[in-house]
Amino acid sequence: MHRRLTLLASHLIKSKATPQIPHRSFSTMSSSKTPTDIHLYTAQTPNGIKVSMLLEELNLSYKVTELSFSKNEQKEPWFLEINPNGRIPAITDTFTDGKPIRVFESGAILQYLVERYDTEGKFSYPKGGREYWEVQSWLFWQMGGLGPMQGQANHFFRYAPEKIEYGIKRYQGETRRLYSVMETQLAKSTSGFLVGDKMTIADIACWGWTNSHDWAGVSLDDFPNVAAWVEKIKSREASARGANLSKSVRKNLTEEEKEKIAKEASAWILQGNEHTAKK
């Protein structure tokens, strides 16, 4: 694995002359940021922005490659060496032993970043403590609940070629139920965040999904504490930079514009379904 990643890293350095590697790559290097060897592979999705939000909050410099789903770049051999599951986000880095490391799955990346780079505990709690395990609980709650359920709501409401009412109601209803769980938690919070007295990776993991509630056809009108929490994080300069890192980010879309984008995306989603079914 180390040898393959080392070869891949060398290959990516030469990416300007390698057409199969996406050209939508850029660096966030700045004199005010802590330099790292992190290379983020991402796209403008609720999962994709988690990592860039945390990287910006940690004030780390990093390289970015934005993958195109319509071109199926996440399934190309070079990227499967980084994430064998062919999904974003993923990162590569130079590990503590001086050798390359890959980390995939957004929750695992968030954990990796705070355990390695959040040395002052600005977005995490000491490992093994009560707050640490509470953060872990909410992180896995998002990974196993909020993300998958709202993702299905997105699919049936926006992308499915047939409007199946059962699917729409089932997953919108489950998304609302999960929002109500967050509403109860935030109503008890004195800080306005999910755990303890500060924003953590639990908040970052959940925010991208909740912020895109309207894409799933779900309103926050019944969840005032969730709505306030969404705005609280959105107002943070670093989080806003990370959430809008993609060159393809679209803001203030009308419902007609959303439907147009969904229709365009539906084609490659269905193509991916057909490809998977043949395996």
Side-chain angles (χ1 to χ4, degrees):
M1 175 58 69
H2 285 153
R3 183 175 181 276
R4 291 207 305 272
L5 285 174
T6 300
L7 290 172
L8 176 62
S10 175
H11 185 55
L12 290 175
I13 291 172
K14 302 174 183 177
S15 63
K16 289 184 179 180
T18 310
Q20 65 265 35
I21 300 297
H23 292 284
R24 293 170 307 286
S25 298
F26 55 96
S27 173
T28 66
M29 190 172 293
S30 165
S31 60
S32 63
K33 289 186 173 184
T34 302
T36 76
D37 291 331
I38 295 170
H39 194 144
L40 168 62
Y41 301 85
T42 191
Q44 189 70 26
T45 72
N47 285 333
I49 65 174
K50 294 175 188 175
V51 180
S52 49
M53 286 176 68
L54 181 57
L55 286 167
E56 291 294 332
E57 287 284 359
L58 288 170
N59 200 35
L60 302 177
S61 66
Y62 56 101
K63 295 178 182 177
V64 181
T65 293
E66 184 182 359
L67 276 71
S68 171
F69 295 153
S70 63
K71 296 179 181 178
N72 222 28
E73 289 172 339
Q74 74 279 10
K75 299 299 183 184
E76 292 183 2
W78 70 267
F79 185 67
L80 293 177
E81 289 290 337
I82 299 172
N83 183 356
N85 194 38
R87 295 287 190 274
I88 59 91
I91 66 168
T92 56
D93 194 8
T94 300
F95 200 45
T96 53
D97 58 6
K99 299 177 182 179
I101 185 175
R102 70 178 186 187
V103 187
F104 55 91
E105 289 297 321
S106 59
I109 299 171
L110 295 180
Q111 289 179 313
Y112 170 82
L113 291 176
V114 291
E115 290 189 22
R116 182 167 179 192
Y117 292 102
D118 188 20
T119 56
E120 298 178 7
K122 292 182 178 180
F123 305 97
S124 57
Y125 290 97
K127 196 168 185 177
R130 290 181 181 275
E131 290 90 351
Y132 171 86
W133 287 114
E134 184 74 5
V135 169
Q136 296 302 299
S137 296
W138 284 104
L139 176 62
F140 282 89
W141 174 86
Q142 185 279 309
M143 299 293 293
L146 181 61
M149 294 300 104
Q150 188 170 330
Q152 291 298 323
N154 290 348
H155 178 82
F156 283 100
F157 183 67
R158 294 285 180 188
Y159 301 121
E162 301 174 41
K163 294 298 182 183
I164 303 172
E165 285 302 310
Y166 174 81
I168 294 172
K169 290 180 180 179
R170 164 77 175 92
Y171 291 110
Q172 285 184 339
E174 185 63 7
T175 299
R176 291 189 187 94
R177 185 192 70 79
L178 291 163
Y179 284 1
S180 73
V181 175
M182 289 181 66
E183 178 71 16
T184 300
Q185 178 71 5
L186 290 167
K188 297 184 294 185
S189 172
T190 57
S191 67
F193 296 113
L194 285 171
V195 181
D197 58 359
K198 57 190 172 186
M199 185 173 82
T200 66
I201 59 174
D203 298 284
I204 292 174
C206 296
W207 184 84
W209 287 100
T210 315
N211 184 57
S212 60
H213 61 91
D214 59 337
W215 195 256
V218 178
S219 170
L220 293 184
D221 290 349
D222 294 331
F223 312 105
N225 287 291
V226 173
W229 167 85
V230 167
E231 293 303 316
K232 184 182 182 73
I233 294 176
K234 188 183 294 185
S235 69
R236 295 172 67 98
E237 185 178 342
S239 285
R241 282 199 308 272
N244 296 288
L245 191 69
S246 171
K247 301 304 181 183
S248 62
V249 65
R250 302 178 178 95
K251 298 180 181 179
N252 303 319
L253 297 174
T254 65
E255 193 61 30
E256 290 74 17
E257 289 171 328
K258 292 175 185 175
E259 286 299 321
K260 183 176 182 294
I261 293 168
K263 188 173 291 185
E264 292 171 353
S266 181
W268 60 259
I269 290 174
L270 295 175
Q271 184 180 26
N273 290 346
E274 291 174 5
H275 177 73
T276 302
K278 292 177 182 178
K279 289 191 172 183

